[in-house]
Amino acid sequence: PAATRTMSGREIREVGLPGPGDLAVSAGKAFAKSPKAQSFAALWIFGLFCALYASAPYPTTDEQRVEFESILARSESIPGYDNALDKMLIARDTLHRNNGWFTWLSSEGSARVSELQARFNAADREFHVLETQRESIRQQAFGVVGLWSEFGVAEARDLFWNCLEKGKGFAKRATFWDTLFGLTMGRDENIGSFLFRIAINFAINVTVGLIGVILAFVYYLWELVMLYQASAFSGLAFFAVALLAGLSVAALYIFVIYGTIVGAGYVVVRAALNNQIKNQREGRAPPQQVGYGRRPHYE
């Protein structure tokens, strides 16, 4: 740090912060010297490539596509499936309408609920038998094309993007309600610090939303692997690659959001420090606020 003298003769030690370009160069040098950082970066780039651009490694042939569509159409035309579904839904809605808070206080109401519960259980068992049959045929159809086909890759991608949209919606709603009811501007707070608190709150909500996205994606992705009836090795490999792709996209969101907040804060702090050093060089005192109802004191 350099030292300079003000007009009053005082010696002030200057401490300057490096610029964004200097920080980028330092980070690049540290990255080049760290094999672990290079490995993580390679995995991250590979995950982003799989999530955004990679195509199916095993394209589906015309014969497989025809067989897949034929078997899938058979799963949609199981005799009695639609009637069993409607019967189960009607029985469930009727049970919910009649099962009130105080139904058990009346013997007639309790008997009525027991009868409706028995009807729902019977309808649900009937529907479950047909649903099991339908899922078995669907698994047979997806087993024809395979998990690594364009069907499996496209379905995994759609699954992640749907989960991501729900997570982004959660972050937006949480930030809106936090700003509306929870975040208020303090008496001695300026607009910059208030906006910074809103940005930090948004980043935290995005982080929580992304954690929920990954957990939901893991759950539904495993169901997808089971649906395609892949072998143990193939299923685990697909699961690992898809999970890496999802984590890479989530890491990209985290990096952009937190990097923007930290970068903007650093630029503001550096500008304020440079302005303070400039004032000290010129021998000017920093501006002071005069309280309401007070008169400035002159010596």
Side-chain angles (χ1 to χ4, degrees), residues 227-247:
L227 177 63
Y228 277 81
Q229 291 185 321
S231 62
F233 177 78
S234 178
L236 289 176
F238 185 90
F239 184 86
V241 172
L243 181 58
L244 175 63
L247 290 173

Side-chain angles (χ1 to χ4, degrees), residues 30-281:
F31 174 79
K33 296 178 181 179
S34 175
K36 290 184 178 180
Q38 296 175 8
S39 300
F40 279 115
L43 285 176
W44 179 51
I45 295 174
F46 175 73
L48 289 178
F49 173 77
C50 292
L52 302 175
Y53 303 109
S55 57
Y58 297 103
T60 306
T61 63
D62 294 337
E63 292 78 7
Q64 289 177 323
R65 187 181 298 272
V66 170
E67 185 178 0
F68 167 76
E69 293 176 353
S70 175
I71 299 176
L72 196 63
R74 199 174 70 203
S75 69
E76 301 296 333
S77 58
I78 298 178
Y81 180 85
D82 293 336
N83 293 333
L85 176 61
D86 293 339
K87 184 179 178 181
M88 185 271 295
L89 294 177
I90 292 174
R92 186 187 63 184
D93 294 341
T94 304
L95 175 61
H96 288 171
R97 285 196 305 267
N98 289 270
N99 191 12
W101 285 85
F102 304 102
T103 305
W104 59 273
L105 295 176
S106 170
S107 58
E108 295 181 359
S110 180
R112 173 65 175 168
V113 170
S114 299
E115 180 184 356
L116 293 176
Q117 183 69 53
R119 291 181 182 178
F120 169 73
N121 292 339
D124 185 62
R125 285 194 299 268
E126 180 183 353
F127 170 73
H128 184 71
V129 171
L130 296 177
E131 177 67 15
T132 303
Q133 181 181 352
R134 178 175 178 268
E135 285 301 314
S136 177
I137 298 176
R138 281 171 52 84
Q139 288 181 351
Q140 181 182 354
F142 286 108
V144 170
V145 294
L147 184 60
W148 293 90
S149 65
E150 59 264 29
F151 292 96
V153 173
E155 196 162 354
R157 276 205 182 105
D158 293 340
L159 186 62
F160 176 76
W161 294 123
N162 290 336
C163 293
L164 183 62
E165 286 299 320
K166 294 180 181 178
K168 289 163 58 178
F170 163 81
K172 293 177 182 178
R173 290 191 301 271
T175 303
F176 172 77
W177 292 115
D178 288 343
T179 305
L180 187 62
F181 295 106
L183 291 177
T184 56
M185 191 170 178
R187 182 178 180 181
D188 299 328
E189 187 179 24
N190 56 33
I191 186 64
S193 60
F194 177 68
L195 294 178
F196 182 75
R197 285 201 299 121
I198 293 179
I200 290 295
N201 188 73
F202 174 72
I204 294 174
N205 289 331
V206 169
T207 303
V208 175
L210 287 175
I211 293 175
V213 166
I214 295 301
L215 293 177
F217 180 60
V218 167
Y219 176 79
Y220 293 117
L221 180 63
W222 185 254
E223 288 188 345
L224 179 66
V225 172
M226 294 295 101
L227 177 63
Y228 277 81
Q229 291 185 321
S231 62
F233 177 78
S234 178
L236 289 176
F238 185 90
F239 184 86
V241 172
L243 181 58
L244 175 63
L247 290 173
S248 299
V249 175
L252 178 63
Y253 272 82
I254 293 293
F255 176 78
V256 171
I257 293 174
Y258 282 91
T260 302
I261 295 175
V262 173
Y266 181 83
V267 170
V268 171
V269 171
R270 184 172 183 269
L273 181 60
N274 290 338
N275 186 49
Q276 182 180 5
I277 293 175
K278 180 180 178 181
N279 292 335
Q280 291 173 346
R281 284 176 176 175

